Structure formats: C-alpha cells, structure tokens
Amino acid sequence: MTFAQKNVKAFIKLLKNNPDLLNTQDRQTLLDKIPEDFQEISKLLLDWCNKLPEINTALQQVRRSLPDHEPIGERPAAAAFPTAETKAEYEKNLKEELLNALRQSSPPETEKPNTPTDD
C-alpha cells in the first residue's frame, strides 16, 4: 500500500470512528475540493489536517495502526505486485469510499420551518 493509499484509508477510518470530528462546513469544503488525482487527494487531506493539530494527531495514530501491505482484491499468491489497472481500481474505490464517508458523517440537514410571513 502506498503512503497516499494508507493516508486516505486512515482518514476514512478516522471519519467512520469519529463522525462528529468534522463540522458541516469542513465536510462540505473537503467534498467540494476532492481532486481527481489520488496523490492530490492524499495531499489535500494532509494539508487540511496539518492546520488542525488535534485531527492531525488522530490521523497519524490511525495511519500507524494500519498494515503496510493490504491485499488488493483476490489475487493468486504469485501475483505479489498489483497491476497498474488493479492499483487504479483500488484507488478509485478508496476515493468513492472517502466521498461516501464524508457524506455519511454529515448530520442530516434540517428543514427550514415553514413559517408564514405577515404581509
């Protein structure tokens, strides 16, 4: 697992275990800024977390708890290294998992009360 993969996976785990870690504005900001390039996603998360020492420390702890190597899909033992296609698919899935974790950790929006105005 690359550092970028491990970093994104750790952030997802952090979100799932601490859904109240981010406020609504932070979640939306991250959702709006998630780039296409996987390395850039990892860099965005690192840069954002560096501004928030409490979250950065938590992310580092989760990242350290993750294994360095994770099986990518079901592969025969002889296939020790993933193909470029497998890596790209894994990163695409991780990106989707990140987006879903951000969306699911957001509190449900409350409807504005329908109060009549005095005209």
Side-chain angles (χ1 to χ4, degrees):
M1 182 176 339
T2 67
F3 176 81
Q5 292 168 344
K6 195 171 185 179
N7 189 52
V8 172
K9 192 144 188 82
F11 193 81
I12 292 167
K13 187 173 181 178
L14 187 63
L15 273 179
K16 288 181 177 180
N17 292 337
N18 305 288
D20 58 343
L21 194 63
L22 306 175
N23 64 38
T24 303
Q25 182 180 355
D26 289 338
R27 285 183 194 98
Q28 193 58 50
T29 299
L30 285 174
L31 277 168
D32 292 343
K33 290 186 174 185
I34 298 292
E36 287 300 315
D37 180 70
F38 196 80
Q39 297 293 327
E40 291 298 315
I41 293 171
S42 177
K43 185 176 179 337
L44 169 74
L45 296 176
L46 286 173
D47 290 346
W48 186 81
C49 288
N50 280 333
K51 297 174 189 170
L52 304 161
E54 185 177 303
I55 294 175
N56 193 38
T57 299
L59 179 64
Q60 289 173 359
Q61 289 174 344
V62 173
R63 197 170 46 234
R64 281 193 297 266
S65 74
L66 295 175
D68 287 333
H69 301 286
E70 180 178 80
I72 300 176
E74 293 295 322
R75 299 179 301 189
F81 298 100
T83 64
E85 293 83 14
T86 306
K87 181 182 173 192
E89 184 68 24
Y90 180 74
E91 290 179 351
K92 178 183 170 197
N93 291 340
L94 264 183
K95 178 183 174 184
E96 283 303 313
E97 192 177 344
L98 171 63
L99 293 172
N100 288 335
L102 282 166
R103 289 183 195 113
Q104 291 169 1
S105 69
S106 299
E109 290 186 29
T110 56
E111 292 184 24
K112 292 182 181 178
N114 189 8
T115 55
T117 56
D118 294 332
D119 288 336

